[in-house]
């Protein structure tokens, strides 16, 4: 099985925290979408005939696609690839785009999963992040999507936003649970250098939250999610049983995927491919029938480290036997003392030759993974 990711690099306005590749100018939108369709043609053999079980429109803001643009891309995929009859087809959307008419168009096109970027229900926080929607639209769009027949909805929330206490975060979670969605992705506010928040922080105009404050909000998140019947199957992702994101789970399980569009990434098991993050260069290259991408061939050590990085974030953990068999890396032998220390500090457990991080350990997942990686 495999998946296809399509990067739609356009937004109405720039969110103050986002460092993904996007443009707020729509001047090249039509040509970019046509180029993405042509890239699908050029790369039709990348997945080597594997069945496509997930299609994911990310960005940027894919809900800016018109119905003809969306149909062009989906019809091109159907023509070129073997697509499962019950494929999960996800589209990321901003609340202000999801009017009832738009929802009907998405439903008719075959979108069966919506990923809605709510981020917060607190108006000042939405304004701080420069979101294009307001709190009322956050609530209404989910209700409208449910009324339109969407029964697989995920929403994004951001925590760790500076605040006097945790009351705003608790209220956001209470509002979230009232919406009865099937899946939630929650991310800590990260201050990237090349963003408005990053520049303000450097100049002293914005003060990020302390790490302890953000960690406390993560702990609140874990407790509240468990209390409301959500399973944490990856550090940032929670779902009602049976509603895991199949597409994102592919990334964490090492399933092959094709990424098309400016800045999109692809993975085929032995290499990664990174498309150029520039719309004009992308369009010009595709017009010349070339893929504007950098290819990174993965060594066995790279593959072992990728496996550690992805699986340690998940509820199914890191299969140490698979590391030994597939990647010739014996973590138990190499890091025996460190693993004993992790278990003594209740940061990790090992059961049936599988390494799991505890809730405490998940707060330190990046550092733990780094310490376990092979050279």
């Amino acid at each position: 099985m495999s998946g296809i990711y399509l990067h739609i690099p356009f937004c109405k306005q720039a969110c103050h925290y986002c460092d993904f590749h996007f443009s707020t100018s729509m001047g090249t939108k039509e040509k970019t979408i046509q180029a993405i369709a042509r890239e699908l043609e050029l790369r039709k053999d990348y997945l080597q005939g594997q069945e496509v079980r997930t299609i994911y429109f990310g960005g940027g803001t894919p809900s800016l696609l018109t119905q003809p643009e969306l149909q062009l891309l989906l019809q091109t995929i159907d023509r070129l690839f073997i697509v499962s009859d019950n494929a999960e087809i996800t589209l990321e959307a901003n609340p202000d785009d999801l009017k009832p008419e738009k929802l009907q168009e998405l439903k008719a096109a075959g979108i069966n999963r919506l990923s809605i970027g709510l981020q917060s229900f607190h108006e000042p926080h939405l304004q701080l992040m420069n979101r294009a929607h307001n709190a009322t639209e956050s609530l209404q769009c989910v209700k409208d999507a449910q009324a339109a027949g969407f029964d697989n909805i995920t929403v994004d929330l951001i925590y760790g936003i500076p605040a006097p206490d945790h009351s705003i975060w608790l209220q956001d979670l209470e509002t979230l649970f009232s919406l009865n969605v099937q899946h939630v992705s929650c991310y800590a506010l990260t201050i990237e250098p090349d963003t408005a928040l990053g520049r303000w922080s450097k100049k002293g105009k914005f003060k990020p939250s302390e790490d302890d404050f953000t960690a406390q909000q993560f702990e609140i998140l874990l407790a509240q999610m468990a209390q409301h019947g959500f399973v944490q199957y990856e550090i940032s992702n929670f779902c009602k049983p049976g509603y895991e994101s199949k597409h994102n789970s592919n990334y964490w399980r090492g399933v092959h995927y094709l990424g098309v569009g400016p800045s999109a990434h692809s993975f085929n098991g032995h290499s990664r491919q990174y498309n150029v993050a520039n719309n004009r260069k992308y369009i010009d290259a595709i017009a010349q029938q070339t893929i504007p991408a950098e290819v990174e061939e993965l060594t066995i050590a790279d593959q072992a480290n990728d496996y550690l990085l992805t699986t340690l974030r998940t509820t199914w953990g890191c299969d140490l036997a698979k590391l030994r068999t597939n990647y010739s890396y014996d973590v138990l032998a190499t890091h025996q003392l460190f693993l004993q220390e992790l278990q003594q500090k209740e940061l990790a457990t090992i059961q049936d030759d599988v390494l799991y991080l505890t809730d405490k350990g998940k707060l330190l997942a990046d550092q733990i993974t780094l310490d376990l990686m092979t050279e």
Side-chain angles (χ1 to χ4, degrees):
M1 63 178 181
S2 60
I4 295 177
Y5 172 84
L6 303 97
H7 189 81
I8 310 301
F10 298 98
C11 292
K12 290 179 182 176
Q13 61 192 50
C15 296
H16 287 163
Y17 58 86
C18 181
D19 72 339
F20 291 163
H21 171 63
F22 68 93
S23 172
T24 55
S25 170
M26 303 294 164
T28 62
K29 180 167 172 274
E30 182 179 351
K31 289 184 178 180
T32 302
I33 302 309
Q34 292 171 350
I36 291 173
R38 286 197 291 272
E39 186 186 359
L40 286 164
E41 296 263 8
L42 294 173
R43 304 186 69 186
K44 64 182 184 296
D45 297 324
Y46 183 83
L47 297 175
Q48 300 182 322
Q50 295 180 51
E51 183 180 53
V52 174
R53 296 190 181 179
T54 67
I55 299 169
Y56 194 103
F57 290 87
T61 311
S63 50
L64 292 176
L65 290 172
T66 64
Q67 189 172 25
E69 290 168 342
L70 185 58
Q71 288 177 332
L72 168 66
L73 296 175
L74 285 172
Q75 288 170 1
T76 302
I77 290 171
D78 279 339
R79 176 166 54 85
L80 299 172
F81 299 89
I82 302 169
V83 181
S84 170
D85 290 339
N86 61 345
E88 175 192 86
I89 307 177
T90 304
L91 182 132
E92 291 182 353
N94 276 352
D96 45 299
D97 293 327
L98 294 182
K99 308 304 181 191
E101 309 79 37
K102 181 72 173 184
L103 288 161
Q104 292 297 336
E105 289 179 4
L106 297 175
K107 191 76 174 174
I111 302 299
N112 54 32
R113 184 173 184 271
L114 288 177
S115 177
I116 307 175
L118 301 185
Q119 316 310 357
S120 177
F121 299 100
H122 185 59
E123 203 69 54
H125 283 181
L126 291 173
Q127 293 168 6
L128 171 69
M129 293 184 282
N130 199 39
R131 295 293 291 164
H133 69 280
N134 58 43
T136 300
E137 287 172 316
S138 289
L139 289 165
Q140 191 59 48
C141 76
V142 175
K143 295 174 182 177
D144 287 343
Q146 291 166 334
F150 285 96
D151 56 5
N152 193 352
I153 296 173
T154 178
V155 301
D156 289 354
L157 289 181
I158 291 178
Y159 62 93
I161 303 170
D165 54 34
H166 300 308
S167 59
I168 296 171
W169 180 229
L170 286 165
Q171 182 60 54
D172 269 359
L173 290 173
E174 182 179 339
T175 304
L176 163 73
F177 295 128
S178 74
L179 291 172
N180 197 31
V181 296
Q182 291 79 20
H183 187 286
V184 184
S185 297
C186 292
Y187 304 99
L189 180 64
T190 303
I191 310 302
E192 302 290 352
D194 193 25
T195 63
L197 289 182
R199 291 186 287 272
W200 294 345
S201 179
K202 187 177 181 179
K203 294 177 181 179
K205 296 181 179 180
F206 173 78
K207 185 179 180 182
S209 297
E210 298 289 340
D211 289 346
D212 284 350
F213 179 86
T214 301
Q216 289 165 9
Q217 295 214 326
F218 181 69
E219 291 167 348
I220 291 170
L221 171 67
L222 296 185
Q224 289 286 309
M225 285 291 172
Q227 182 178 330
H228 287 83
F230 283 81
V231 177
Q232 183 192 27
Y233 68 101
E234 193 271 343
I235 286 179
S236 302
N237 287 272
F238 305 80
C239 69
K240 292 292 181 67
Y243 284 94
E244 295 88 353
S245 166
K246 295 177 182 176
H247 185 84
N248 289 338
S249 293
N250 284 351
Y251 296 154
W252 305 317
R253 293 184 186 276
V255 173
H256 299 183
Y257 61 90
L258 168 64
V260 294
S263 81
H265 295 182
S266 302
F267 171 72
N268 62 5
H270 58 80
S271 70
R272 294 192 182 280
Q273 196 159 318
Y274 311 91
N275 282 2
V276 65
N278 180 293
N279 292 359
R280 176 51 62 187
K281 289 181 180 179
Y282 173 79
I283 292 168
D284 291 345
I286 296 296
Q288 298 299 316
Q289 304 292 304
T290 60
I291 306 299
E294 178 182 332
V295 178
E296 176 191 7
E297 294 295 336
L298 301 174
T299 65
I300 291 296
D302 291 333
Q303 294 174 47
N305 290 337
D306 276 355
Y307 183 74
L308 271 167
L309 182 67
T310 53
T311 57
L312 275 181
R313 296 181 60 88
T314 69
T315 189
W316 51 83
C318 178
D319 186 334
L320 302 181
K322 183 173 181 179
L323 267 180
R324 290 191 295 270
T325 303
N326 292 10
Y327 310 114
S328 303
Y329 182 37
D330 192 335
V331 173
L332 285 173
T334 308
H335 294 286
Q336 182 180 8
L337 293 178
F338 180 57
L339 288 170
Q340 288 176 356
E341 181 184 354
L342 290 178
Q343 293 176 85
Q344 288 167 0
K345 292 182 177 179
E346 298 182 342
L347 298 175
T349 61
I350 298 177
Q351 300 173 22
D352 298 325
D353 217 16
V354 177
L355 174 63
Y356 304 91
L357 295 184
T358 64
D359 286 349
K360 285 173 61 178
K362 289 169 186 173
L363 289 167
L364 304 170
D366 291 344
Q367 186 58 54
I368 291 172
T369 302
L370 189 62
D371 290 339
L372 288 173
M373 284 183 171
T374 186
E375 297 180 356

